């Protein structure tokens, strides 16, 4: 019996080891979040190949690693690509709040146009490179994993004839999930991503939610529209960007119920938020000594993320002054010029072992820009937060944490010294923030399998079975009026109208008959 068990186990293990996985990656924090999944796949004996263009900013393909890189050329330089990212950051952080609507619209269209053009050149680099496509085809990949923030991953999978899986935090207003993935999102209690609303909405907030839903949908359709022709040409048949996305086997969403509000789900949507989190490792001696020197007050960790490393001198000095007035010691991840007002309780670091620091018992508060990677490390270790959101989904992420009572949110643009001091004192003095952060932490830790195991399970599931079509709802093949049963409602309405009509006619006929006989009777009398 035991040997049979062992044999079956060996067989099933053999079935999933040593497969080839193809990755179509994204830049920045998206890459940071994908890496643990890649490492786990390699750990389990799979061959992972990352197809990346030569001018990537955040993915260092010359670094020695067990990941195989398939590097292809693009007609722009790394500096050009970096400039594009900096331009987006500058727009989001500094320009968005000061530009008039007209200028905002112009800048936004300009950026969409540039982004689309760069993305098209990246897609061309692989989709129109027949030699490379042929080589990839010969490698017999079992699955492709991609982040839909960059187009073309799904298209590449279709060209190679292999199943694909999405990994994402969100799309603008959740419109990709709603339209291309058919994920239901009733606007009455599901706030769309980037609305900064919670699940408890007043009448005006529901109005706002529906407004955002429509606005973001329009923006996304405008963006998708650029790709419909490209996708149709590449696949040699009329199709749309959204239709191709809808063929995904699994959507791995990088959040979980410690972060999300309860909402309706589909079986092919799997929530894996926090997959990159792990227990804290001991700090280097110099760091440990500084942390210990804080005594009973503890330390504050301050980081505005992997993308924003410097601030204006004015802002940096204001923050430095505020930090100087709190009793805690502060570790600040900052690569800009040292602020003149920097106090003795604050130390600057070009890089911090953020996860290890958040897991340190002396850590009291995490001041963050509100990226999901950092938020999840704070949730994992039960550390309350002060959010200074800068761009993209960050304000929305912090709105979630605020609604769950684990964070105070400040505005980056109108931030004052006193705001920051008050926020630190509030989060530390009012113990409810810590308690709520611990509650979220317990939700994160108490799961049948870790988020990373869950993500890898579904990737291996798709490889084992050649897909997961049994989880894909039939909603994909319905038209909008069939989806809402408007045809059935119309039919029932016509039936009802016919019955009412027939009934009224009948009644009128009877009435006339009655009146007729009565009149006759009267005449006879
Ligand atoms: C994985 O990659 C290694 C090294 O390139 C190769 O020897 C091996 O055959 C590959 N495995 C599979 C299943 O293709
Ligand atoms: C990438 O890694 C290589 C090898 O470790 C290193 O020499 C190089 O400086 C790195 N490049 C960047 C941009 O970090
Ligand atoms: C941050 O540094 C970059 C160059 O590294 C520079 O272009 C940018 O202007 C700086 N931003 C601020 C706000 O100082
Ligand atoms: C909050 O804590 C700070 C020190 O951390 C202290 O100076 C301040 O008086 C406290 N405020 C309240 C209202 O307890």
């Amino acid at each position: 019996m035991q040997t049979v068990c062992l044999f079956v186990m060996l067989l099933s293990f053999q079935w999933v080891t040593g497969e080839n996985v193809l990755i179509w990656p994204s830049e920045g924090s998206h890459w940071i979040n994908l890496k643990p999944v890649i490492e786990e796949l390699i750990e389990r004996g799979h061959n992972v190949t990352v197809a990346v263009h030569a001018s990537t900013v955040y993915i260092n393909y010359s670094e020695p690693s067990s990941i195989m890189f398939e590097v292809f050329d693009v007609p722009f330089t790394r500096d050009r690509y970096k400039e594009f990212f900096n331009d987006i950051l500058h727009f989001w952080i500094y320009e968005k709040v000061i530009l008039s609507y007209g200028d905002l619209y112009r800048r936004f269209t300009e950026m969409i146009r540039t982004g689309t053009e760069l993305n098209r050149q990246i897609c061309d680099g692989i989709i129109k490179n027949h030699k490379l496509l042929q080589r990839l085809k010969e490698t017999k990949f079992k699955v492709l994993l991609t982040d839909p923030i960059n187009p073309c991953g799904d298209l590449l999978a279709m060209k190679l004839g292999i199943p694909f899986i999405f990994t994402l935090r969100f799309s603008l207003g959740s419109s990709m999930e709603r339209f291309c993935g058919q994920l239901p999102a009733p606007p009455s209690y599901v706030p769309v991503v980037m609305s900064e609303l919670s699940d408890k909405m007043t009448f005006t907030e529901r109005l706002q939610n529906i407004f955002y839903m429509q606005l973001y949908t329009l923006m996304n359709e405008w963006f998708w529209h650029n790709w419909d022709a490209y996708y149709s040409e590449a696949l040699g048949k009329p199709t749309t960007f959204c239709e191709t996305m809808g063929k995904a086997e699994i959507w791995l969403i990088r959040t979980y119920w410690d972060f999300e509000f309860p909402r309706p789900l589909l079986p092919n949507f799997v929530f894996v938020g926090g997959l990159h989190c792990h227990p804290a490792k001991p700090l280097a001696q110099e760091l440990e000594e500084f942390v210990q020197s804080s005594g009973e007050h503890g330390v504050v960790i301050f980081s505005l993320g992997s993308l924003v490393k410097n601030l204006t001198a004015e802002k940096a000095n204001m923050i430095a002054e505020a930090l100087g007035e709190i009793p805690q010691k502060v570790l600040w991840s900052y690569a800009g010029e040292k602020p003149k007002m920097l106090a003795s309780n604050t130390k600057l670091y070009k890089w911090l072992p953020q996860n290890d620091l958040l897991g340190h018992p002396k850590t009291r508060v995490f001041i963050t820009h509100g990226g999901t990677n950092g938020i999840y490390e704070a949730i994992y270790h039960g550390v309350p937060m002060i959010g200074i959101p800068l761009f993209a989904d960050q304000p929305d992420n912090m709105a979630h944490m605020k609604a769950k009572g684990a964070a105070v949110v400040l505005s980056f643009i109108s931030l004052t010294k006193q705001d920051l001091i008050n926020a630190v004192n509030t989060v530390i003095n009012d113990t409810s923030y810590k308690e709520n952060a611990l509650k979220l932490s317990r939700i994160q830790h108490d799961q049948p399998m870790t988020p990373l195991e869950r993500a890898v399970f579904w990737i291996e599931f798709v490889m084992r079975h050649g897909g997961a079509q049994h989880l894909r709802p039939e909603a994909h093949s319905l038209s909008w009026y069939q989806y809402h049963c408007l045809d059935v409602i119309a039919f029932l309405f016509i039936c009802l109208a016919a019955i009412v009509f027939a009934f009224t006619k009948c009644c009128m006929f009877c009435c006339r008959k009655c009146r007729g006989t009565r009149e006759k009777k009267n005449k006879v009398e």
Side-chain angles (χ1 to χ4, degrees):
M1 189 60 208
Q2 258 173 350
T3 43
V4 171
C5 271
L6 197 66
F7 183 66
V8 170
M9 262 172 63
L10 276 178
L11 260 187
S12 58
F13 275 130
Q14 238 161 23
W15 186 226
V16 290
T17 49
E19 301 289 7
N20 292 323
V21 180
L22 185 58
I23 310 272
W24 182 256
S26 294
E27 303 276 336
S29 57
H30 298 249
W31 173 242
I32 296 177
N33 205 277
L34 200 53
K35 254 183 144 176
V37 178
I38 295 178
E39 279 157 12
E40 181 65 21
L41 285 169
I42 291 174
E43 182 82 1
R44 294 186 186 213
H46 301 295
N47 276 359
V48 181
T49 305
V50 176
V52 66
H53 63 89
S55 298
T56 167
V57 178
Y58 296 93
I59 304 170
N60 190 347
Y61 48 78
S62 22
E63 215 169 30
S65 93
S66 41
I67 306 171
M68 281 177 277
F69 286 100
E70 187 66 67
V71 185
F72 56 92
D73 286 327
V74 279
F76 53 86
T77 61
R78 178 165 300 156
D79 285 337
R80 172 71 192 94
Y81 204 44
K82 216 184 259 177
E83 185 193 309
F84 170 65
F85 277 110
N86 285 340
D87 195 38
I88 294 184
L89 285 186
H90 197 261
F91 171 76
W92 272 103
I93 301 173
Y94 298 102
E95 288 175 42
K96 205 172 111 257
V97 283
I98 52 167
L99 290 183
S100 67
Y101 283 116
D103 286 339
L104 209 61
Y105 176 79
R106 257 188 300 281
R107 277 288 276 140
F108 192 75
T109 19
E110 178 194 305
M111 272 185 329
I112 290 265
R113 201 173 312 125
T114 313
T116 307
E117 182 54 23
L118 288 174
N119 273 326
R120 198 185 54 75
Q121 290 175 348
I122 296 172
C123 289
D124 281 353
I126 196 155
I127 299 292
K128 301 205 170 149
N129 185 339
H130 299 290
K131 239 194 233 153
L132 176 55
L133 269 188
Q134 191 53 36
R135 192 162 66 239
L136 291 177
K137 227 174 230 170
E138 277 159 14
T139 313
K140 303 243 174 300
F141 289 103
K142 280 279 172 134
V143 71
L144 182 145
L145 184 62
T146 182
D147 187 327
I149 195 159
N150 283 356
C152 261
D154 43 4
L155 187 58
L156 178 59
M158 299 288 284
K159 290 291 270 186
L160 298 176
I162 57 173
F164 64 95
I165 295 175
F166 281 134
T167 156
L168 69 158
R169 145 74 179 111
F170 78 112
S171 65
L172 201 55
S174 328
S175 43
M176 280 179 179
E177 298 90 308
R178 286 187 292 124
F179 287 103
C180 315
Q182 296 293 345
L183 184 69
S188 49
Y189 68 99
V190 180
V192 295
V193 179
M194 293 184 58
S195 65
E196 296 173 43
L197 296 166
S198 83
D199 58 345
K200 291 183 193 62
M201 286 180 268
T202 61
F203 174 80
T204 358
E205 285 171 336
R206 277 180 287 135
L207 197 65
Q208 255 176 314
N209 197 32
I210 288 183
F211 169 76
Y212 280 127
M213 218 171 198
Q214 296 312 325
L215 176 72
Y216 290 143
T217 302
L218 279 178
M219 281 162 78
N220 250 340
E221 270 172 6
W222 182 29
F223 167 77
W224 295 338
H225 181 68
N226 292 324
W227 288 96
D228 289 349
Y230 190 95
Y231 273 50
S232 300
E233 194 198 323
L235 292 174
K237 60 171 194 235
T239 184
T240 64
F241 178 66
C242 205
E243 187 188 343
T244 313
M245 280 195 79
K247 299 205 179 334
E249 308 294 332
I250 299 284
W251 296 64
L252 298 173
I253 308 288
R254 294 197 293 257
T255 55
Y256 184 61
W257 306 114
D258 40 23
F259 176 96
E260 293 284 347
F261 303 111
R263 57 164 300 152
L265 276 189
L266 288 176
N268 60 343
F269 276 73
V270 180
F271 283 59
V272 294
L275 57 77
H276 65 292
C277 299
H278 48 81
K281 289 191 286 288
L283 299 173
Q285 198 186 348
E286 183 263 343
L287 266 186
E288 180 66 31
E289 276 167 14
F290 182 62
V291 169
Q292 287 301 344
S293 73
S294 66
E296 61 170 52
H297 287 300
V299 296
V300 172
I301 314 296
F302 187 175
S303 166
L304 293 183
S306 52
L307 296 179
V308 181
K309 286 290 185 194
N310 57 352
L311 300 166
T312 58
E314 184 196 4
K315 205 119 223 166
N317 273 315
M318 189 265 290
I319 291 174
E321 250 187 292
L323 296 176
E325 291 192 19
I326 59 174
Q328 286 75 27
K329 294 265 164 103
V330 185
L331 295 96
W332 185 1
S333 173
Y334 186 67
E337 211 171 293
K338 185 176 166 181
K340 285 195 190 68
M341 306 301 293
L342 199 72
S344 61
N345 69 334
T346 308
K347 269 197 175 179
L348 298 183
Y349 297 88
K350 284 223 159 45
W351 180 84
L352 280 174
Q354 189 169 290
N355 183 63
D356 303 334
L357 280 166
L358 290 173
H360 198 285
K362 284 247 182 270
T363 298
R364 299 287 179 266
V365 187
F366 178 38
I367 307 179
T368 171
H369 65 306
T372 30
N373 285 343
I375 288 185
Y376 260 105
E377 285 169 5
I379 289 178
Y380 186 89
H381 296 294
V383 177
M385 286 160 260
I386 294 170
I388 310 179
L390 300 172
F391 61 92
D393 58 332
Q394 294 160 10
D396 194 59
N397 296 342
M398 284 321 303
H400 279 235
M401 289 299 102
K402 188 178 168 188
K404 295 189 184 261
V408 165
V409 183
L410 301 174
S411 151
F412 176 71
I413 293 297
S414 62
L415 185 70
T416 66
K417 181 180 144 193
Q418 203 54 42
D419 284 344
L420 190 54
I421 299 175
N422 291 350
V424 174
N425 286 338
T426 306
V427 172
I428 290 177
N429 293 2
D430 181 347
T431 53
S432 72
Y433 289 97
K434 177 72 183 172
E435 280 158 20
N436 287 326
L438 285 174
K439 194 151 89 191
L440 298 184
S441 179
R442 285 193 293 271
I443 295 170
Q444 169 65 221
H445 285 274
D446 202 351
Q447 306 183 46
M449 65 209 293
T450 67
L452 183 58
E453 282 166 359
R454 197 157 51 239
V456 171
F457 169 81
W458 282 108
I459 295 169
E460 288 189 333
F461 183 96
V462 167
M463 292 198 280
R464 276 197 298 271
H465 302 276
Q469 289 295 306
H470 67 298
L471 300 178
R472 192 168 171 270
E474 201 48 35
H476 285 279
S477 52
L478 299 180
S479 62
W480 61 273
Y481 63 87
Q482 287 173 324
Y483 181 91
H484 294 286
C485 280
L486 293 185
D487 46 354
V488 175
I489 292 173
F491 172 75
L492 290 179
F493 184 77
I494 291 170
C495 287
L496 190 69
I499 290 171
V500 171
F501 180 74
F503 186 70
T504 345
K505 275 285 177 205
C506 253
C507 282
M508 274 160 70
F509 180 72
C510 289
C511 279
R512 226 177 296 137
K513 260 272 153 77
C514 276
R515 215 179 303 140
T517 26
R518 217 181 300 142
E519 270 166 20
K520 234 183 253 164
K521 232 192 247 166
N522 285 352
K523 244 182 222 166
V524 170
E525 274 172 18

